[in-house]
CSV table of all heavy atoms in Angstrom, one decimal:
chain,number,residue,atom,x,y,z
A,22,ASP,N,194.4,125.4,112.2
A,22,ASP,CA,195.8,125.8,112.1
A,22,ASP,C,196.1,127.0,112.9
A,22,ASP,O,197.1,127.0,113.6
A,22,ASP,CB,196.1,126.1,110.6
A,22,ASP,CG,196.2,124.8,109.7
A,22,ASP,OD1,196.2,123.7,110.3
A,22,ASP,OD2,196.1,125.0,108.5
A,23,LYS,N,195.2,128.0,113.0
A,23,LYS,CA,195.4,129.1,113.8
A,23,LYS,C,195.4,128.7,115.3
A,23,LYS,O,196.2,129.2,116.1
A,23,LYS,CB,194.3,130.2,113.6
A,23,LYS,CG,194.4,130.9,112.2
A,23,LYS,CD,193.3,131.9,112.1
A,23,LYS,CE,193.1,132.3,110.7
A,23,LYS,NZ,191.9,133.1,110.5
A,24,TYR,N,194.5,127.8,115.6
A,24,TYR,CA,194.4,127.4,117.0
A,24,TYR,C,195.7,126.7,117.4
A,24,TYR,O,196.3,127.0,118.5
A,24,TYR,CB,193.2,126.5,117.2
A,24,TYR,CG,193.2,125.9,118.7
A,24,TYR,CD1,192.7,126.7,119.7
A,24,TYR,CD2,193.8,124.7,119.0
A,24,TYR,CE1,192.7,126.3,121.0
A,24,TYR,CE2,193.8,124.3,120.3
A,24,TYR,CZ,193.3,125.0,121.3
A,24,TYR,OH,193.3,124.6,122.6
A,25,ILE,N,196.2,125.8,116.6
A,25,ILE,CA,197.4,125.0,116.8
A,25,ILE,C,198.6,126.0,117.0
A,25,ILE,O,199.4,125.9,117.9
A,25,ILE,CB,197.7,124.0,115.7
A,25,ILE,CG1,196.7,122.9,115.7
A,25,ILE,CG2,199.1,123.4,115.9
A,25,ILE,CD1,196.6,122.0,117.0
A,26,ASP,N,198.7,127.0,116.1
A,26,ASP,CA,199.8,128.0,116.2
A,26,ASP,C,199.8,128.7,117.6
A,26,ASP,O,200.8,128.8,118.2
A,26,ASP,CB,199.6,129.1,115.1
A,26,ASP,CG,200.0,128.6,113.8
A,26,ASP,OD1,200.7,127.5,113.7
A,26,ASP,OD2,199.7,129.3,112.8
A,27,ARG,N,198.6,129.1,118.1
A,27,ARG,CA,198.6,129.7,119.4
A,27,ARG,C,198.8,128.7,120.5
A,27,ARG,O,199.5,129.0,121.5
A,27,ARG,CB,197.2,130.5,119.6
A,27,ARG,CG,197.3,131.3,120.9
A,27,ARG,CD,196.1,132.1,121.1
A,27,ARG,NE,195.0,131.3,121.7
A,27,ARG,CZ,193.8,131.7,121.9
A,27,ARG,NH1,193.4,132.9,121.5
A,27,ARG,NH2,192.9,130.9,122.5
A,28,ALA,N,198.1,127.6,120.5
A,28,ALA,CA,198.2,126.6,121.6
A,28,ALA,C,199.6,126.0,121.7
A,28,ALA,O,200.0,125.7,122.8
A,28,ALA,CB,197.2,125.5,121.3
A,29,SER,N,200.4,126.0,120.6
A,29,SER,CA,201.7,125.5,120.6
A,29,SER,C,202.6,126.2,121.6
A,29,SER,O,203.6,125.7,122.1
A,29,SER,CB,202.4,125.5,119.2
A,29,SER,OG,201.7,124.7,118.4
A,30,SER,N,202.3,127.5,121.9
A,30,SER,CA,203.1,128.3,122.8
A,30,SER,C,202.9,127.9,124.3
A,30,SER,O,203.6,128.4,125.2
A,30,SER,CB,202.8,129.8,122.6
A,30,SER,OG,201.5,130.1,123.0
A,31,VAL,N,201.9,127.1,124.6
A,31,VAL,CA,201.6,126.7,125.9
A,31,VAL,C,202.6,125.6,126.4
A,31,VAL,O,202.7,124.5,125.8
A,31,VAL,CB,200.1,126.2,126.1
A,31,VAL,CG1,199.9,125.6,127.5
A,31,VAL,CG2,199.1,127.2,125.8
A,32,ASP,N,203.4,126.0,127.4
A,32,ASP,CA,204.4,125.1,127.9
A,32,ASP,C,203.7,123.9,128.6
A,32,ASP,O,203.0,124.2,129.6
A,32,ASP,CB,205.4,125.8,128.8
A,32,ASP,CG,206.5,125.0,129.2
A,32,ASP,OD1,207.0,124.1,128.4
A,32,ASP,OD2,207.0,125.1,130.4
A,33,GLY,N,203.8,122.7,128.1
A,33,GLY,CA,203.2,121.6,128.7
A,33,GLY,C,202.2,121.0,127.8
A,33,GLY,O,201.6,119.9,128.1
A,34,LEU,N,201.9,121.6,126.7
A,34,LEU,CA,201.0,121.0,125.7
A,34,LEU,C,201.8,119.9,125.0
A,34,LEU,O,202.9,120.1,124.4
A,34,LEU,CB,200.5,122.0,124.6
A,34,LEU,CG,199.6,121.4,123.5
A,34,LEU,CD1,198.3,120.9,124.1
A,34,LEU,CD2,199.4,122.4,122.4
A,35,LEU,N,201.3,118.6,125.0
A,35,LEU,CA,202.0,117.5,124.5
A,35,LEU,C,201.4,117.0,123.1
A,35,LEU,O,202.1,116.5,122.3
A,35,LEU,CB,202.0,116.3,125.5
A,35,LEU,CG,202.6,116.6,126.8
A,35,LEU,CD1,202.3,115.4,127.8
A,35,LEU,CD2,204.0,117.0,126.7
A,36,GLY,N,200.1,117.2,123.0
A,36,GLY,CA,199.5,116.7,121.8
A,36,GLY,C,198.1,117.3,121.6
A,36,GLY,O,197.4,117.6,122.6
A,37,VAL,N,197.6,117.3,120.4
A,37,VAL,CA,196.2,117.8,120.1
A,37,VAL,C,195.6,116.7,119.2
A,37,VAL,O,196.2,116.3,118.2
A,37,VAL,CB,196.1,119.2,119.5
A,37,VAL,CG1,194.7,119.6,119.2
A,37,VAL,CG2,196.8,120.2,120.4
A,38,MET,N,194.4,116.3,119.5
A,38,MET,CA,193.6,115.4,118.7
A,38,MET,C,192.3,116.1,118.3
A,38,MET,O,191.7,116.8,119.1
A,38,MET,CB,193.3,114.1,119.4
A,38,MET,CG,194.5,113.3,119.8
A,38,MET,SD,194.0,111.7,120.6
A,38,MET,CE,193.6,112.4,122.3
A,39,SER,N,191.8,115.8,117.1
A,39,SER,CA,190.5,116.2,116.8
A,39,SER,C,189.6,115.0,117.0
A,39,SER,O,190.1,113.8,117.0
A,39,SER,CB,190.4,116.6,115.3
A,39,SER,OG,190.7,115.6,114.4
A,40,MET,N,188.3,115.2,117.2
A,40,MET,CA,187.4,114.1,117.4
A,40,MET,C,186.1,114.4,116.6
A,40,MET,O,185.9,115.6,116.2
A,40,MET,CB,187.1,113.8,118.8
A,40,MET,CG,186.3,114.9,119.6
A,40,MET,SD,186.0,114.4,121.3
A,40,MET,CE,185.6,115.9,122.0
A,41,GLY,N,185.4,113.4,116.3
A,41,GLY,CA,184.2,113.6,115.4
A,41,GLY,C,184.6,113.8,114.0
A,41,GLY,O,185.7,113.4,113.5
A,42,SER,N,183.8,114.6,113.3
A,42,SER,CA,184.1,114.9,111.9
A,42,SER,C,183.3,116.2,111.6
A,42,SER,O,182.4,116.6,112.3
A,42,SER,CB,183.7,113.8,111.0
A,42,SER,OG,182.3,113.6,111.0
A,43,VAL,N,183.7,116.8,110.5
A,43,VAL,CA,183.0,117.9,110.0
A,43,VAL,C,182.1,117.4,108.9
A,43,VAL,O,182.3,117.5,107.7
A,43,VAL,CB,183.9,119.0,109.4
A,43,VAL,CG1,183.1,120.2,108.9
A,43,VAL,CG2,184.8,119.5,110.6
A,44,GLY,N,181.0,116.7,109.3
A,44,GLY,CA,180.1,116.0,108.4
A,44,GLY,C,179.1,117.0,107.8
A,44,GLY,O,178.4,116.6,106.8
A,45,ALA,N,178.9,118.1,108.4
A,45,ALA,CA,177.9,119.1,107.9
A,45,ALA,C,178.5,120.5,108.1
A,45,ALA,O,178.2,121.2,109.0
A,45,ALA,CB,176.6,118.9,108.7
A,46,PRO,N,179.3,120.9,107.1
A,46,PRO,CA,179.9,122.2,107.2
A,46,PRO,C,178.9,123.3,107.4
A,46,PRO,O,177.9,123.4,106.6
A,46,PRO,CB,180.7,122.4,105.9
A,46,PRO,CG,180.9,121.0,105.4
A,46,PRO,CD,179.7,120.2,105.9
Side-chain angles (χ1 to χ4, degrees):
D22 289 344
K23 288 179 197 172
Y24 178 83
I25 295 296
D26 285 345
R27 187 175 84 187
S29 296
S30 68
V31 173
D32 188 32
L34 177 67
L35 303 174
V37 179
M38 295 181 283
S39 65
M40 65 178 163
S42 64
V43 179

